[in-house]
Amino acid sequence: MNDEKADMPPEKDSAPLPADPVAAGAPAAEATPAEPEPDPQVDPPPSSWRPPEKKKTTVIAIVAIALVAVLAVLFAWKLPPFAGGAERTDNAYVRGRVTVISPQVSGYVTSVPVQDFAEVKAGQVLATIDDRIYRARVAQAEANVAAQQASLANSAQAQRSREVATNSQDAGVANAQAQLTRAEADMRRARKLVADGSISTREFDQTRAALLAAQAALQQARASRAIGTQDVRTVVVGRAGLEASVAAAKAQLRLAQIDLDNTVIRAPTDGQLSEIGVRQGAYVSAGTQLLSVVPHNVWVIANFKEAQTGKMAVGQRARFSVDALGGAELTGRIENLSPAAGSEFAVLKADNATGNFVKVAQRIAVRIAIDPKQPLARRLRPGMSVEAHVDTNSGPRR
């Protein structure tokens, strides 16, 4: 066991305890109260740093920036003093008189002398259709007109012939009248002669028979004259029908000529073409959409809510930003307001005669004329989306 203790490493000397002066018999010193050390976390030492004083110009700039920010918020939210001065909507579009070009006749397209998006003038040829059939129809109509005019001329000649025959019948009536006069004179002489026996009864009867024959001849001549008059009237009445036939033939000729003219399709007005939808050699029928002509006269249709149009009137200033032009703004004026809400022009009207009713704000279309002499106005195209603003404080009010 002694050997094991010898082999163990010597233990470290423990730290000596502080000597107790009382226990050591040293004279006790008078105890003085020790001051507590300050805690920097609880009671930090006083600092001498102060923020630098702001200059007067800096204060003015800060106030000005704050005021501009407040005004911007008021303007964005349309709060006083900016409330009620302008109305805006993004339900607005550029509009124009887009004309759809369609043929009025059917046939094969023989030529298309224009290109996509080309500028055209009024009357310029856009396409042509094979016109051989329509030329033949025009020739046929012209022949029909000639035939009807010949019939009308024959009627005039027949009238003149009937009138000449009537003159001859007048002469026949005069001859019969003369024969009757002579027969009546013979009859008067015969009555006197038969009374004194100068002539026989047989001669008297012959004279009487001649008188009766003369009377009958006069009646026959007058009847022939009446027939001749009716023949002339028949020709005159028949001429009206022939004149109507001539007019109908001429109308058919005009229709055939119109169809022939319509084989050449022309631009109705100045403008720019859309994409060409027909090619040479294609067969088209009447009403087939070939292309469109877009005039350069455009305007803006803005659909405002009905509550926004309370102070709008014709002549008020407006401005609109165009999405296709990077938000560029153009100016204009209100030209007119729609006479009814958009729902009134719908094909299917909404039926609100039920118990479940939800009030929906209606839209009133406002037409805005674009001010002239604006370079960007030439780049406007029908169908572009815009954001319209109307200054209701400008111009008259309703």
Side-chain angles (χ1 to χ4, degrees):
M1 182 177 295
N2 295 332
D3 294 339
E4 292 178 357
K5 290 180 179 181
D7 295 336
M8 292 179 63
E11 294 181 358
K12 295 182 180 180
D13 294 335
S14 58
L17 298 173
D20 190 354
V22 178
E30 294 182 0
T32 59
E35 295 181 0
E37 297 181 358
D39 190 352
Q41 294 182 355
V42 176
D43 188 12
S47 176
S48 62
W49 181 87
R50 293 181 179 179
E53 295 183 357
K54 296 182 176 62
K55 296 181 179 179
K56 186 176 182 179
T57 56
T58 305
V59 175
I60 294 175
I62 293 174
V63 173
I65 293 174
L67 181 60
V68 170
V70 171
L71 292 177
V73 172
L74 295 177
F75 177 79
W77 288 90
K78 297 296 184 292
L79 297 175
F82 304 102
E87 299 291 347
R88 63 166 295 277
T89 181
D90 56 2
N91 188 356
Y93 305 91
V94 179
R95 293 288 185 243
R97 295 185 179 90
V98 180
T99 304
V100 177
I101 304 300
S102 301
Q104 295 187 14
V105 296
S106 303
Y108 288 95
V109 177
T110 56
S111 67
V112 184
V114 292
Q115 297 180 352
D116 298 339
F117 314 134
E119 291 284 345
V120 295
K121 298 293 183 181
Q124 183 175 341
V125 177
L126 304 179
T128 58
I129 298 176
D130 187 6
D131 61 353
R132 292 175 295 177
I133 296 176
Y134 301 100
R135 289 186 181 278
R137 291 178 180 175
V138 169
Q140 183 180 11
E142 289 176 346
N144 187 26
V145 170
Q148 296 299 331
Q149 288 177 342
S151 298
L152 181 60
N154 187 22
S155 174
Q157 180 62 31
Q159 180 181 355
R160 290 191 292 270
S161 177
R162 297 294 191 277
E163 290 175 350
V164 172
T166 302
N167 294 334
S168 176
Q169 291 166 357
D170 290 338
V173 171
N175 183 31
Q177 183 67 44
Q179 295 296 329
L180 177 60
T181 302
R182 188 184 66 178
E184 289 175 348
D186 292 341
M187 188 62 187
R188 287 193 296 272
R189 286 192 297 269
R191 284 195 181 94
K192 295 178 179 180
L193 293 175
V194 75
D196 56 6
S198 298
I199 61 173
S200 61
T201 304
R202 180 174 177 273
E203 291 175 346
F204 177 78
D205 292 339
Q206 289 177 350
T207 303
R208 184 180 179 184
L211 175 61
L212 295 176
Q215 292 176 348
L218 178 59
Q219 293 178 356
Q220 183 178 4
R222 288 176 176 175
S224 298
R225 177 62 179 81
I227 292 174
T229 302
Q230 296 302 321
D231 288 342
V232 173
R233 292 181 179 178
T234 300
V235 172
V236 173
V237 172
R239 183 183 301 171
L242 295 175
E243 290 175 349
S245 299
V246 172
K250 289 182 178 180
Q252 293 295 330
L253 175 60
R254 285 194 296 272
L255 289 175
Q257 188 63 49
I258 290 173
D259 288 342
L260 178 61
D261 295 339
N262 287 333
T263 58
V264 180
I265 303 172
R266 302 179 183 274
T269 184
D270 297 347
Q272 188 175 6
L273 298 181
S274 66
E275 185 178 358
I276 308 300
V278 66
R279 295 294 180 265
Q280 184 176 354
Y283 182 84
V284 296
S285 58
T288 303
Q289 182 174 347
L290 305 182
L291 67 159
S292 298
V293 176
V294 183
H296 296 295
N297 181 24
V298 294
W299 59 90
V300 172
I301 295 296
N303 299 303
F304 287 93
K305 294 180 181 179
E306 53 186 333
Q308 294 179 292
T309 61
K311 297 181 180 180
M312 290 187 184
V314 176
Q316 291 177 346
R317 291 194 302 269
R319 55 186 176 87
F320 57 93
S321 58
V322 187
D323 297 346
L325 302 181
E329 285 194 353
L330 290 89
T331 60
R333 287 185 178 274
I334 293 181
E335 188 175 16
N336 217 331
L337 282 79
S338 175
S343 59
E344 293 298 315
F345 302 111
V347 177
L348 300 177
K349 302 294 181 64
D351 186 8
N352 293 327
T354 61
N356 300 325
F357 171 72
V358 177
K359 183 177 180 180
V360 178
Q362 301 299 314
R363 295 278 178 170
I364 304 295
V366 178
R367 175 168 172 150
I368 300 175
I370 302 172
D371 291 338
K373 298 181 181 180
Q374 297 184 88
L376 291 178
R378 294 178 296 179
R379 299 182 57 185
L380 295 178
R381 299 293 185 270
M384 286 184 174
S385 299
V386 301
E387 183 174 336
H389 301 259
V390 173
D391 185 3
T392 56
N393 289 331
S394 65
R397 294 187 180 185
R398 290 194 298 174

